[in-house]
Amino acid sequence: MTTFIHRRTGVSELNDLIRSAPPEIVQLGDDHRRSLAARFRAVPSNGHRRIDSWNVERAGQPAHAFRWSPATARRTLGNAALRRMLRDPLCSVIDAINREIDDQLMRDVAGYAQRGSMASWFATLHQSELALVKADAANWTLQMHEIALSIEDQWSVCASDAFYDVARARTTLRGRRDLEVVLEDRCVLLRIRSGSPGKSSGPGLRSDLTIATLAHPQGIAPARMIGLWPESGVCLGVDGTMSDLRAGARDLVRTAVAQQRYHQSIAA
Amino acid sequence: MPTLSESHRNVMEALRGDRKRRPRVDTSSAAGLRAMLEDGIFEFWTDAPEPPLIVRASSLRNVKDTTDIALSNHARLRGVLVHELVRLFSVGAEISSAFDDAFRAWQLETVAGELFDYAQRLDGDDLARLATDVMSHYVTLSRALGVIPATFQPRSAVRASVMMHGGTIVLRDVIDLMVGTTLGEVASVALFDVTTSPLGTGAERSMRYHALVQTLRSGVVPLRTSVFSSATGEMWTLDVDGELLRRSVNDVLDVLRAMVKHA
């Protein structure tokens, strides 16, 4: 039986949701990893496969070609700016974002930025376009900071998303995560989302939960994965139970199968 | 009854007000307002429509009071570009050419749509007319707004989408500029809306609607809601209280009744 919790994003509701995370610690072992790899290997692939919760929520439907925009850059830029603000409390949001953008531009000038990267995209932008990117990132950072400050337990901004390479299956799984809350011997992960949750948000959160567990060196599952939709004032949660992890893994494999079918239909 | 105060010279001063006189933050009213809305909807609701009914701030403006010119593509595009300028102001961007900067910024996030097609079809004369129009609104706006301090935590184009009645009704809103934070002992969130039309009775309803949706979304009652006309330089500001929010609930119920009647 999988879990699914729905709450408003008030300060007390969010803290209750974090603290009521199940105390049991669930762990994925080598057998689980081998079994998952075998299932992915059984799905033929034309090239290297990348699957994340967005693919799961879209049931493997091919998305539009990725292009950088203020909306696609705001999370990366905003999270980095928040980390910078936490290191230097005197730094304002706009200063932090400006410094992050300066760093990215420096990488481009130094030749370290790859073609198509955020840094190389910044280098092509006019000042007014860059200002719009800053405005979107500022919204994200302030929102994240407000949510983080409302958490009563120890929290940190995640340094990166969770990545897991499935052995010999040419598949990389990417689990998104923004904040990590530490509760004694276990942790709760939070993910901030735009818009409103849809019918497939639960499977999306479960896949993020599964990928975070697979990416953990000891395979320890987060006690709870919480998705926050501040625009709607809603948060949803899934628990780190074995049935939720299995459901998340099943959704990931199904997405790989659906992707393959779409590729075949396009090729035909 | 909240009062409307007109023609502030400094927008930020009007938005933030006297810090010592701010009320304690209200986190308890949101649940009551939601219940009022749900009860009101239940009284006249018949069947769940598909797709869901969407209420926006524009739904609350009296369309009869709006001239056709204000609904034209030219006016809508001007409005969009002025909103882009507010976004650029919020991060302290230096604006060298109001129209060019706003147009570039808008095109960065807009790649299709009716207005996009309209903008592509504009010839040199139309573009020059639009640029002059945007410039005049920019001058009024920049004089009123001045510099927005980063310590006010300005956020631009803040979106909200609150689902009601099991998701069959969605209250959508975009607030042009929001300053302050929902955390803290006293209320500090101020909402600022910019319109390129002169202010009318519809603007007052929009101000209330912004406050209501922000309350439902965040669970915290904002301090103040205001609207600024870049056409006339006039600004209205209302302190948000229970009565204002209840009036907005009634406004929304009236709009929903009309929508159900005409559905």
Side-chain angles (χ1 to χ4, degrees):
Chain A
M1 185 92 151
T2 55
T3 56
F4 194 56
I5 309 153
H6 178 282
R7 295 278 185 281
R8 304 240 159 262
T9 50
V11 172
S12 58
E13 288 92 341
L14 179 60
N15 281 297
D16 285 347
L17 193 56
I18 291 169
R19 287 187 177 166
S20 64
E24 298 85 25
I25 294 172
V26 177
Q27 197 169 4
L28 290 183
D30 288 345
D31 288 346
H32 294 113
R33 289 176 197 273
R34 273 195 291 272
S35 165
L36 182 70
R39 279 160 207 262
F40 270 113
R41 277 199 295 273
V43 185
S45 166
N46 299 331
H48 195 92
R49 222 173 359 219
R50 289 175 185 83
I51 300 174
D52 62 9
S53 56
W54 177 242
N55 301 128
V56 172
E57 287 180 28
R58 289 178 55 85
Q61 278 182 39
H64 296 294
F66 178 82
R67 68 181 263 278
W68 284 108
S69 69
T72 52
R74 68 182 163 208
R75 181 171 171 264
T76 311
L77 193 57
N79 284 359
L82 183 54
R83 281 194 294 273
R84 193 180 279 267
M85 277 171 68
L86 296 172
R87 283 197 304 272
D88 178 6
L90 294 176
C91 187
S92 74
V93 175
I94 303 298
D95 286 343
I97 291 167
N98 279 337
R99 287 181 201 171
E100 282 301 325
I101 289 178
D102 288 347
D103 281 358
Q104 295 284 342
L105 290 172
M106 280 299 290
R107 285 185 59 221
D108 186 68
V109 170
Y112 292 120
Q114 287 184 344
R115 202 168 150 222
S117 66
M118 192 169 74
S120 64
W121 178 63
F122 283 162
T124 64
L125 295 180
H126 184 265
Q127 280 302 314
S128 58
E129 294 169 328
L130 214 45
L132 194 71
V133 173
K134 287 177 196 173
D136 243 23
N139 283 3
W140 181 274
T141 311
L142 286 167
Q143 182 176 270
M144 272 270 291
H145 200 201
E146 209 166 74
I147 291 166
L149 289 176
S150 71
I151 298 171
E152 288 157 4
D153 296 283
Q154 194 191 335
W155 56 269
S156 61
V157 182
C158 295
S160 74
D161 285 337
F163 287 91
Y164 181 71
D165 262 324
V166 185
R168 291 184 290 137
R170 293 204 294 174
T171 303
T172 302
L173 306 176
R174 177 188 186 173
R176 288 173 198 261
R177 51 188 181 182
D178 295 308
L179 289 170
E180 184 180 19
V181 184
V182 179
L183 302 167
E184 296 171 2
D185 55 346
R186 62 204 204 281
C187 81
V188 172
L189 292 179
L190 277 82
R191 205 192 141 182
I192 319 292
R193 304 284 304 267
S194 303
S196 306
K199 288 175 184 168
S200 56
S201 299
L205 281 176
R206 249 174 240 121
S207 57
D208 279 332
L209 174 91
T210 306
I211 299 165
T213 311
L214 289 166
H216 191 280
Q218 281 90 44
I220 296 171
R224 186 167 276 169
M225 182 88 204
I226 299 172
L228 279 106
W229 281 262
E231 282 178 25
S232 314
V234 169
C235 54
L236 305 176
V238 292
D239 288 347
T241 62
M242 191 50 87
S243 48
D244 280 283
L245 290 170
R246 284 202 179 110
R250 263 198 305 271
D251 285 335
L252 288 165
V253 175
R254 275 186 200 141
T255 303
V257 173
Q259 275 184 344
Q260 180 59 19
R261 283 191 190 142
Y262 280 116
H263 281 305
Q264 281 172 345
S265 64
I266 290 166
Chain B
M1 170 73 189
T3 54
L4 292 173
S5 49
E6 298 177 67
S7 302
H8 284 91
R9 284 193 68 80
N10 187 331
V11 167
M12 282 301 128
E13 196 181 287
L15 283 179
R16 302 289 281 174
D18 184 356
R19 288 182 185 206
K20 289 173 192 164
R21 301 177 81 178
R22 284 183 195 160
R24 285 186 66 79
V25 69
D26 179 356
T27 54
S28 57
S29 295
L33 292 165
R34 184 175 285 276
M36 261 181 82
L37 260 173
E38 292 286 7
D39 288 350
I41 293 164
F42 184 76
E43 281 175 15
F44 61 84
W45 201 250
T46 48
D47 296 319
E50 191 65 46
L53 287 181
I54 295 172
V55 180
R56 295 184 172 87
S58 58
S59 317
L60 279 92
R61 289 188 204 115
N62 191 347
V63 178
K64 285 175 192 164
D65 284 352
T66 313
T67 55
D68 287 340
I69 293 167
L71 296 172
S72 68
N73 279 335
H74 176 91
R76 285 169 58 210
L77 184 54
R78 180 190 64 201
V80 164
L81 296 178
V82 170
H83 291 162
E84 293 295 343
L85 288 171
V86 176
R87 301 207 68 190
L88 303 189
F89 274 127
S90 73
V91 289
E94 281 183 25
I95 295 167
S96 50
S97 163
F99 176 72
D100 290 343
D101 288 353
F103 202 72
R104 272 175 187 276
W106 177 63
Q107 286 198 315
L108 188 68
E109 53 182 5
T110 312
V111 288
E114 190 189 335
L115 273 187
F116 184 83
D117 294 340
Y118 171 76
Q120 298 297 311
R121 288 197 305 269
L122 289 176
D123 62 21
D125 287 348
D126 292 333
L127 276 174
R129 246 191 309 275
L130 184 63
T132 312
D133 212 359
V134 170
M135 187 64 193
S136 69
H137 285 269
Y138 162 73
V139 171
T140 314
L141 185 65
S142 60
R143 279 185 188 156
L145 261 182
V147 178
I148 305 171
T151 49
F152 289 1
Q153 307 193 357
R155 290 175 230 192
S156 56
V158 181
R159 290 177 189 280
S161 174
V162 178
M163 282 190 261
M164 303 293 303
H165 212 62
T168 52
I169 296 166
V170 184
L171 308 184
R172 285 212 180 133
D173 196 20
V174 182
I175 295 159
D176 290 327
L177 186 68
M178 184 170 110
V179 293
T181 173
T182 55
L183 303 174
E185 294 291 305
V186 291
S188 73
V189 172
L191 314 174
F192 181 69
D193 194 31
V194 177
T195 174
T196 53
S197 306
L199 301 183
T201 49
E204 196 184 335
R205 280 196 289 272
S206 295
M207 289 162 75
R208 290 199 292 262
Y209 181 74
H210 293 317
L212 175 68
V213 176
Q214 171 62 17
T215 305
L216 295 174
R217 179 186 82 91
S218 66
V220 177
V221 175
L223 171 68
R224 222 159 258 138
T225 178
S226 57
V227 62
F228 176 82
S229 166
S230 57
T232 60
E234 195 178 9
M235 178 170 157
W236 289 354
T237 305
L238 290 167
D239 287 346
V240 180
D241 59 9
E243 190 191 328
L244 179 140
L245 293 168
R246 282 192 293 277
R247 282 181 71 189
S248 185
V249 167
N250 291 331
D251 291 342
V252 171
L253 289 174
D254 287 345
V255 167
L256 283 169
R257 265 190 214 102
M259 280 178 161
V260 169
K261 202 174 161 186
H262 293 110

